[in-house]
Structure formats: C-alpha cells, structure tokens
Amino acid sequence: MNVHAPALAKAHEFDERTSAFAGDVIEDLAQHPKRLSPKYFYDATGSELFEQITRLPEYYPTRTELGILRARASEIAAIVPKGAALVEFGAGASTKVRLLLEHCDLAAYVPVDISGDFLNAQADALRKDFPGLAIYPVAADFTTPFDLPAAVAGMPKVGFFPGSTLGNFEPHEACAFLRSAREILGRAARMVIGVDLEKNERVLYDAYNDAAGVTARFNLNVLARINRELGGNFDLSAFMHRSIYNRERHRIEMHLIARKAQTVRILGRSFSFRPGETIHTESSYKYSLERFGALARGSGWTVRESWTDDEKMFSVHALVASD
Ligand code: AVJ
C-alpha cells in the first residue's frame, strides 16, 4: 500500500514501523467488512491491558497453559536436545519461557518480537537469572521470514510458540507460519506450541466479553493508538466492543461496532461508518486435537506428543519436523 507522502510528513515523523502500521490501517479500513490486524493491539498500553486480561477470572487460556507447562515441564524438556537454541516467536511476559529455561539444557535463547525495546528489557532480566545462557534477541515481525543470529547456526533449534497466538492466524496463514518456522529452524527442528481448544460456547463468550470490561478497553485501545500514532480522530465513545463465537469457522471474533453514523479521518483519508457497522479486529481460532494434528501434518510437522489440562480447555504440543 502506497501511503500519500505529504500527508504522512505533515502528521508525524514516521519511522518504518509506523508507516507499515499506516499502510495496513488504511488498507484494512477500506475493506468491506472493515478490519484491523490484531498485531497492532500491543503498544505499551495494549500490552499492559493484555497482561490484565491474562489475570481475569473469565480468561482461562494463560493460567491453564501455565498449569500444563508446569505439570509437564520434564516431559517437554525430554524432547529438547541438549545444547539447543530455543527460538520464541513473539516474546510476551517471560513466565512461560522461564519454565522451559529452568528444565532444559539449552545453549541459547532467541526471543523474536516486533517490539525491540520490550525485548531488550526482558533479555536483561533473564540474563541476571540465567547467567550461563546466551540470549540473542531478534527484533522482527515473526509473521514474515527473518534470519536467526549466526551464533546459533550450529545448534539444534527448538521453536516455542505459546499462548495460542497461532489462533490469530487464518487457517492458511497458520499453515504458512508453521512451514516458515520449520524453514527458519532448519534440519531436525522441534517445536513446542500452545493451542486453545474448542469448548462450551458460554465459556468462550465470557473469556472475550469479561464483566470488568478489560477486553473492551484492550479492543478500543487500537483506535486510541491510531489516533496517537497516525493522527486519527476516532471518537472512542462512539464504538462498542463485542466478541462473538463463529461456530462454523471455530473462532471467536472481536468487533468494534459503530454506535452511530460517523466519518473518521486518518492521514488525509475519510472512512465512513453506518450505525452498527463493525470493524473486525481479531479472530481467535479454537482447534480440536484432531484439527490441529491435521494442520501440523499438512505444514511439515509430526505431532510427537500432546498434553492438555484435565478439563481439555487448552493444549500444548511437541512437534518434530517431518522427513
Ligand atoms: C494473545 C491472541 C492468544 O486470542 O485469546 C485476548 C488475545 N484477545 N483477549 C487470544 C486476546 C482478546 C489472545 N491471544
């Protein structure tokens, strides 16, 4: 998407990441139905709000996955070769990876995240607690191909992709991501991946429409970010948060619904909304163990082992590259 240069220059000083954000926003709000990419939720405010979501009583995924990782840490460690480099795709709070770092005999940890500042702060904290571990942060968008640091070239690689972030991808994107991860991780790659499971619709609905309204603030924050970083003029009080479960497509959809007719300006462009018109801001796909297994097999991986909690709310899988 080619963004109009004079408008850009006038609105702000644009770095490369901001202009990618601008291009995506302008393209996605011109679609029918309108949409925004969930990767833009996570500015400083959004990351803090997501941390709050993970502690909500209704939001089961984080604590359930942590429970599985804790209970199965030594079984998971058994599939991690000695002296391996652990490559984490997207590095949030370090609670989960710490469990693997404690139980595995790793030579290196490579956190990959779009936010470089956050990565470096997290790496410094981990270096203090794991002095023998080499940590090589990579600031990159892991949804596109990137190079691993030369220092880990000779080591066996294990990917780590917790949190059911895979659920944000459309099925074809999930397949492309798993293929690309296999490419990046190289021969004899392994992968530990967390995947949210299909379940009672009420439980799903409540997890994404929490009573305290934190998810609503998280969702609306993307509009505040557009206002702040791209000079937009969204009136946040004119939009309403709503998540629904789309049963046919096995996914939660988050929407921002226009409460009234309105026109929003961003970087010299106008976007008009009908009353009730929605912006689809996120899909969170839920898998069955069978459907995830089929996806993995179709993407160059073999499922070595799968673990769930007793209530089968969430799953963690050990994958081994096929061939
Ligand atoms: C971080 C993508 C796994 O889909 O559950 C939480 C994001 N969105 N509440 C999810 C999210 C609304 C979360 N992931």
Side-chain angles (χ1 to χ4, degrees):
M1 175 88 213
N2 194 6
V3 173
H4 194 237
L8 280 181
K10 211 167 65 194
H12 267 295
E13 212 183 78
F14 271 61
D15 60 20
E16 217 176 288
R17 200 183 306 146
T18 311
S19 72
F21 179 34
D24 285 351
V25 165
I26 283 167
E27 185 171 299
D28 287 352
L29 290 182
Q31 304 295 313
H32 304 281
K34 294 181 171 65
R35 63 184 189 210
L36 287 169
S37 166
K39 69 182 174 193
Y40 296 119
F41 282 135
Y42 302 93
D43 64 350
T45 307
S47 300
E48 168 52 32
L49 286 168
F50 181 68
E51 286 309 308
Q52 288 181 33
I53 287 175
T54 65
R55 294 190 293 267
L56 290 169
E58 299 97 329
Y59 193 75
Y60 62 85
T62 310
R63 74 178 67 90
T64 310
E65 181 179 43
L66 255 175
I68 298 169
L69 293 173
R70 268 197 201 103
R72 305 296 189 165
S74 48
E75 290 169 60
I76 295 167
I79 73 116
V80 176
K82 191 168 154 26
L86 186 73
V87 179
E88 182 170 7
F89 297 94
S94 61
T95 323
K96 292 169 193 167
V97 79
R98 280 171 183 270
L99 276 170
L100 293 195
L101 299 181
E102 279 160 17
H103 285 84
C104 304
D105 194 351
L106 294 166
Y109 170 51
V110 183
V112 183
D113 198 272
I114 193 162
S115 161
D117 293 345
F118 180 77
L119 262 182
N120 291 324
Q122 194 216 49
D124 287 342
L126 286 171
R127 281 189 189 102
K128 279 224 307 278
D129 297 337
F130 300 91
L133 184 70
I135 304 182
Y136 306 104
V138 174
D141 178 350
F142 64 79
T143 62
T144 60
F146 63 92
D147 289 324
L148 288 178
V152 305
M155 304 173 189
K157 256 75 83 189
V158 180
F160 185 41
F161 197 40
S164 203
T165 308
L166 188 78
N168 272 175
F169 297 142
E170 293 301 315
H172 73 278
E173 294 170 336
C175 177
F177 167 78
L178 289 171
R179 282 186 183 287
S180 138
R182 186 175 180 273
E183 209 57 45
I184 288 165
L185 298 172
R187 263 196 61 256
R190 286 155 192 231
M191 178 105 144
V192 177
I193 182 166
V195 180
D196 198 11
L197 297 176
E198 262 182 320
K199 60 182 60 64
N200 179 293
E201 289 182 22
R202 184 75 220 181
V203 174
L204 285 172
Y205 182 88
D206 289 346
Y208 293 85
N209 293 286
D210 65 288
V214 182
T215 308
R217 294 214 297 282
F218 174 72
N219 199 4
L220 284 160
N221 176 59
V222 72
L223 303 185
R225 183 178 185 185
I226 291 170
N227 287 351
R228 192 164 1 89
E229 294 184 23
L230 307 178
N233 69 346
F234 273 109
D235 172 4
L236 270 61
S237 71
F239 286 86
M240 186 172 79
H241 159 82
R242 177 73 72 243
S243 297
I244 57 156
Y245 187 61
N246 183 329
R247 193 178 309 139
E248 292 71 44
R249 303 179 82 165
H250 313 279
R251 70 186 196 195
I252 282 280
E253 295 173 5
M254 286 217 302
H255 294 273
L256 289 167
I257 306 173
R259 294 178 189 270
K260 58 176 191 203
Q262 56 195 293
T263 299
V264 175
R265 289 189 63 81
I266 304 162
L267 296 170
R269 324 238 168 168
S270 295
F271 301 95
S272 294
F273 292 80
R274 291 173 277 102
E277 185 174 354
T278 85
I279 310 173
H280 180 185
T281 53
E282 181 177 52
S283 290
S284 189
Y285 280 85
K286 308 304 171 189
Y287 288 87
S288 65
L289 294 175
E290 295 69 29
R291 277 191 293 109
F292 177 72
L295 169 67
R297 281 191 297 281
S299 315
W301 297 90
T302 303
V303 180
R304 167 69 64 85
E305 224 167 326
S306 300
W307 300 277
T308 71
D309 55 299
D310 290 344
E311 290 174 287
K312 295 207 163 41
M313 301 273 270
F314 200 93
S315 61
V316 174
H317 307 261
L319 308 182
V320 178
S322 318
D323 303 334

